[in-house]
């Protein structure tokens, strides 16, 4: 539709094009409902909350997940795939792992019809951020270039900070999509251009100096002084430590042979992809989530794969034995062999590894080995900061550990109702970084998000919310051994502390929203059957 606007003197001002359509009756949706509609040739997500209609881009800005299959809680729109969260009123991103918000469209009511007018064709929008100001001489430093660091830098600008931001990372690259390193990228299905979280131009525009290949050797919070391996020193006004984890080495004889690899970085993923495409024999030591995602991806590339693990069932401590056996079966159907309840005795090879010998004497031929033995917090450079037993640091509810010093991500022990948690998940790191960045800019945001992670095991995405350190009971909705979709709820100290689901995305979202609102039902009520989405809407 074309329209012409004239001023009072009847002078021509502009000629504009727009597309508008009636998409539904005013009573077609109730509060909390979502519907995908069509305006011209464009798909639009229609949402209703507080008796108001909103129109947005219909796909998540993270991985383009279908938002209509997500869940609306008040004004919070949550993606079904990885639980990114948006505000339907303005499209702003509220939670990681999405960096961008959602384009919005105009909505008007005429008579009993809801009309949507397309007002933008952008596929991504940044949250409003302050521009750098050379007159502001303050310097905020970020130690670590992972997800926490990336979200923190933007959080500082979103919070209104206009001074200098410097990010130090040991990586050869700026912040990138690390979870993809064990999934599509390792399989060769994701091109290099997908991996950076932001472009170099973005960081330049917002005055965020990303310094790669930088090793921080010391950070003294009393003098606010940082030392680099190069000998350079820098003082800061405020700093965030989000240095991530240091992979655990293999202590056994032969662990230092050539051909023993980690899967921690983009470079690691590139190296392993090249090896996997050659159809080599690989032994993966460790049956962790990353270890089995690596096994899946290397097998898809054509490698011959053996997995060695201490647990008798993969993921038994995290997901329970029943789900662990099911996941193991998915991998075995694809030709992956398991050697569980076993330890590595030593690695053999003349300069380069050619075999892994187990504690029962079994010898597994190997052209290369992938270690998946977990990580420890990388905090050895911190001076005069009390460390927890595992090497992490304790924060307050605002993620502060010392005057003008904050922490986020894998190293942070943050307070919860029943103690402290330290969570090694991508979404957690990103959201903690964002909250820390806002607080460094002068906000007073509490970090209160229920933990969430996802894993891709042979093309099946399992979503997990909450945190259970000891599983006392598992309440199942659906049978993991028989059903295509299921929900598992983990009981600890008489409360449901976590849940895992396959193809139960809306239920997982509802459970996470209930956890964050401290409105989870007791196990007795859950055993009788719960409709989670309905419970959330009534809460």
């Amino acid at each position: 539709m074309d329209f012409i606007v004239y001023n009072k003197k009847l002078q021509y001002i502009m000629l504009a094009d727009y597309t508008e359509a009636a998409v539904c009756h005013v009573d077609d949706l109730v509060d909390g409902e979502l519907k995908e509609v069509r305006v011209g040739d464009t798909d639009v997500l229609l949402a209703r909350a507080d008796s108001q209609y909103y129109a947005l881009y219909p796909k998540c800005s993270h991985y383009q997940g279908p938002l209509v299959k997500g869940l609306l809680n008040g004004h919070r729109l949550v993606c079904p795939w990885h639980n990114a969260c948006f505000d339907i009123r303005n499209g702003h991103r509220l939670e990681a792992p999405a960096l961008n918000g959602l384009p919005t469209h105009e909505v008007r009511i005429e008579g009993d019809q809801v009309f949507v007018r397309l007002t933008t064709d952008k596929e991504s929008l940044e949250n409003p951020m302050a521009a750098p100001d050379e007159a502001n001489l303050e310097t905020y430093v970020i130690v670590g270039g992972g997800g926490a660091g990336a979200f923190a830098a933007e959080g500082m600008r979103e919070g209104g900070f206009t001074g200098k931001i410097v990010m130090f990372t040991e990586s050869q690259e700026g912040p990138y999509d690390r979870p993809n390193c064990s999934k599509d990228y390792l399989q060769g299905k994701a091109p290099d251009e997908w991996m950076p979280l932001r472009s170099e131009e973005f960081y330049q525009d917002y005055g965020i100096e990303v310094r790669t290949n930088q090793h921080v050797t010391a950070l003294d919070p009393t003098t606010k002084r940082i030392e680099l391996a190069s000998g350079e020193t820098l003082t800061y006004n405020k700093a965030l430590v989000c240095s991530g984890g240091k992979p655990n080495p293999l202590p056994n004889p032969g662990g230092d042979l050539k051909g023993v690899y980690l899967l921690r970085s983009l470079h690691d993923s590139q190296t392993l992809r090249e090896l996997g495409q050659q159809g080599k024999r690989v032994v993966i030591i460790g049956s962790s989530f990353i270890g089995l995602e690596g096994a899946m991806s290397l097998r898809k590339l054509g490698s011959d794969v053996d997995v060695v693990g201490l647990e008798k069932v993969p993921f038994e401590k995290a997901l329970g034995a029943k789900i662990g056996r099911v996941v193991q079966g998915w991998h075995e159907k694809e030709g992956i062999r398991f050697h569980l309840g076993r330890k590595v005795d030593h690695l053999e090879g003349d300069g380069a590894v050619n075999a892994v010998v187990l504690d029962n004497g079994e010898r597994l031929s190997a052209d290369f080995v992938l270690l998946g033995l977990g990580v420890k917090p990388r905090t050895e450079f911190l001076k005069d900061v009390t460390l927890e037993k595992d090497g992490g640091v304790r924060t307050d509810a605002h993620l502060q550990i010392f005057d003008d010093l904050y922490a986020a991500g894998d190293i942070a022990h943050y307070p919860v109702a029943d103690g402290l948690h330290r969570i090694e998940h991508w979404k957690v790191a990103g959201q903690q970084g964002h909250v820390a960045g806002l607080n460094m800019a002068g906000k007073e945001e509490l970090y209160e998000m229920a933990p969430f992670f996802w894993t891709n095991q042979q093309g099946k995405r399992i979503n997990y919310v909450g945190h259970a350190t000891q599983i006392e009971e598992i309440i199942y909705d659906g049978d993991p051994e028989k059903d295509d979709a299921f929900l598992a709820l983990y009981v600890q100290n008489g409360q449901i502390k976590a849940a895992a689901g396959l193809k139960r995305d809306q239920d997982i979202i509802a459970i996470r929203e209930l956890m964050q609102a401290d409105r989870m039902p007791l196990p007795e009520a859950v055993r009788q059957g719960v409709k989670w989405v309905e419970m959330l809407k009534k809460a």
Side-chain angles (χ1 to χ4, degrees):
M1 181 184 299
D2 295 336
F3 66 95
I4 300 175
V5 178
Y6 295 89
N7 64 12
K8 291 182 179 180
K9 294 183 180 180
L10 298 180
Q11 293 174 327
Y12 170 80
I13 295 178
M14 58 180 281
L15 176 68
D17 294 329
Y18 66 87
T19 301
E20 183 179 75
V23 294
C24 72
H25 187 275
V26 291
D27 295 327
D28 284 351
L29 271 65
V30 299
D31 286 350
E33 277 195 298
L34 301 167
K35 181 180 181 181
E36 197 164 294
V37 297
R38 192 85 169 169
V39 180
D41 296 328
T42 302
D43 291 326
V44 172
L45 180 69
L46 200 63
R48 176 169 163 158
D50 295 336
S51 300
Q52 299 290 319
Y53 278 92
Y54 302 88
L56 308 97
Y57 184 71
K59 295 183 179 180
C60 179
S61 60
H62 178 229
Y63 273 6
Q64 299 292 295
L67 293 173
V68 72
K69 295 183 179 181
L71 201 61
L72 183 60
N73 181 25
H75 297 111
R76 289 167 53 85
L77 172 61
V78 185
C79 174
W81 288 2
H82 309 118
N83 279 210
C85 184
F86 307 90
D87 189 329
I88 60 171
R89 294 169 294 185
N90 50 29
H92 291 173
R93 178 260 300 146
L94 297 176
E95 290 184 10
L99 279 162
N100 289 328
L102 301 172
T104 59
H105 305 289
E106 292 182 10
V107 177
R108 66 180 179 89
I109 307 296
E110 183 176 312
D112 62 354
Q113 296 294 309
V114 178
F115 286 82
V116 172
R117 177 181 295 180
L118 301 183
T119 53
T120 177
D121 59 359
K122 290 181 65 178
E123 293 189 2
S124 62
L125 292 173
E126 301 152 11
N127 280 11
M129 289 186 279
D133 183 358
E134 292 183 358
N136 188 336
L137 301 180
E138 287 190 301
T139 298
Y140 288 5
V141 173
I142 301 169
V143 180
F151 277 89
E154 299 192 26
M156 293 172 193
R157 292 293 188 230
E158 287 178 41
F161 178 63
T162 60
K164 186 177 183 180
I165 299 176
V166 181
M167 178 190 296
F168 293 118
T169 174
E170 293 188 352
S171 174
Q172 302 173 33
E173 300 85 13
Y176 57 86
D177 184 8
R178 179 169 288 164
N180 214 343
C181 287
S182 60
K183 304 178 181 72
D184 285 353
Y185 186 76
L186 178 54
Q187 296 170 28
K189 296 179 180 178
D192 289 342
E193 55 266 27
W194 283 13
M195 298 303 285
L197 296 182
R198 293 295 197 190
S199 66
E200 293 182 6
E201 291 75 18
F202 172 89
Y203 290 120
Q204 292 171 0
D205 289 345
Y206 286 102
I208 300 167
E209 182 182 351
V210 180
R211 297 184 56 180
T212 58
N213 296 304
Q214 299 292 326
H215 176 61
V216 173
T217 56
L219 186 154
D220 188 336
T222 58
T223 61
K224 295 186 176 180
R225 183 182 180 90
I226 291 174
E227 299 177 7
L228 303 177
S230 64
E232 181 183 355
T233 62
L234 179 77
T235 56
Y236 64 83
N237 295 96
K238 295 182 182 180
L240 170 69
V241 181
C242 48
S243 43
K246 179 168 52 177
N248 293 321
L250 182 68
N252 306 72
D256 57 350
L257 288 169
K258 291 182 179 180
V260 178
Y261 297 95
L262 302 169
L263 180 48
R264 184 67 181 168
S265 70
L266 185 64
H267 177 72
D268 293 337
S269 186
Q270 292 166 344
T271 300
L272 290 166
R273 183 173 60 191
E274 293 174 2
L275 290 169
Q277 290 170 338
Q278 299 172 28
K280 292 180 177 292
R281 299 167 298 179
V282 56
V283 174
I284 297 176
I285 301 176
S287 53
S288 64
F289 288 102
I290 296 299
L292 288 195
E293 286 183 357
M296 168 188 69
S297 297
L298 290 169
R299 180 62 183 155
K300 288 180 181 297
L301 289 173
S303 290
D304 191 59
V305 182
D306 286 275
V307 175
V308 178
L310 290 173
E311 292 182 302
K312 293 183 179 180
V313 178
F315 314 141
E316 183 174 5
K317 292 182 179 179
L319 301 179
K322 180 179 285 190
I323 295 177
R325 285 192 295 268
V326 170
V327 175
Q328 180 179 342
W330 297 342
H331 289 284
E332 288 176 333
K333 287 180 180 177
E334 301 301 322
I336 295 172
R337 297 179 295 271
F338 285 83
H339 311 266
L340 300 173
R342 299 259 64 95
K343 296 180 180 180
V344 172
D345 185 80
H346 65 276
L347 272 57
E348 291 182 349
D350 184 11
V353 67
N354 60 35
V356 175
V357 181
L358 306 183
D359 56 354
N360 62 353
E362 186 177 5
R363 185 179 184 275
L364 306 176
S365 298
D367 297 308
F368 67 101
V369 168
L370 172 58
L371 301 182
L373 302 175
V375 300
K376 290 183 178 179
R378 190 188 298 271
T379 55
E380 66 281 354
F381 59 91
L382 293 175
K383 308 301 180 185
D384 297 325
V385 174
T386 301
L387 302 180
E388 298 297 299
K389 290 182 179 180
D390 62 1
V393 295
R394 180 181 298 198
T395 78
D396 63 15
H398 295 89
L399 300 174
Q400 190 168 10
I401 59 176
F402 202 90
D403 289 344
D404 296 328
L405 183 63
Y406 295 75
D410 292 0
I411 70 169
H413 289 259
Y414 63 94
V416 293
D418 54 358
L420 295 170
H421 282 173
R422 185 178 72 83
I423 309 292
E424 298 172 359
H425 302 330
W426 182 255
K427 178 178 171 70
V428 170
Q431 194 62 18
Q432 285 184 350
H434 184 242
V435 170
L438 290 173
N439 290 337
M440 292 170 71
K443 306 295 182 181
E444 294 184 357
E445 298 282 335
L446 297 174
Y447 178 74
E448 299 177 309
M449 188 187 80
F452 171 90
F453 80 89
W454 73 92
T455 182
N456 185 332
Q457 302 291 328
Q458 293 299 344
K460 298 177 175 63
R461 173 174 43 82
I462 296 176
N463 284 357
Y464 181 100
V465 60
H467 183 64
T469 56
Q470 291 183 336
I471 300 175
E472 297 169 2
E473 179 189 0
I474 303 176
I475 303 172
Y476 292 101
D477 182 355
D479 188 342
E481 296 175 333
K482 298 178 182 179
D483 300 333
D484 189 43
F486 62 80
L487 194 66
L489 299 124
Y490 302 97
V491 179
Q492 180 178 332
N493 297 328
Q495 295 180 315
I496 296 173
K497 290 293 189 179
L502 175 69
K503 297 182 180 180
R504 296 289 294 271
D505 296 340
Q506 288 191 340
D507 288 332
I508 286 291
I509 295 171
I511 290 169
R512 190 171 75 90
E513 295 290 301
L514 288 165
M515 282 183 176
Q516 291 183 169
D518 195 23
R519 292 176 175 173
M520 281 292 289
L522 293 173
E524 290 77 12
V526 174
R527 291 189 193 97
Q528 298 174 13
V530 170
K531 294 183 178 180
W532 293 100
V533 175
E534 292 183 10
M535 176 176 285
L536 176 64
K537 291 181 178 180
K538 292 177 181 178

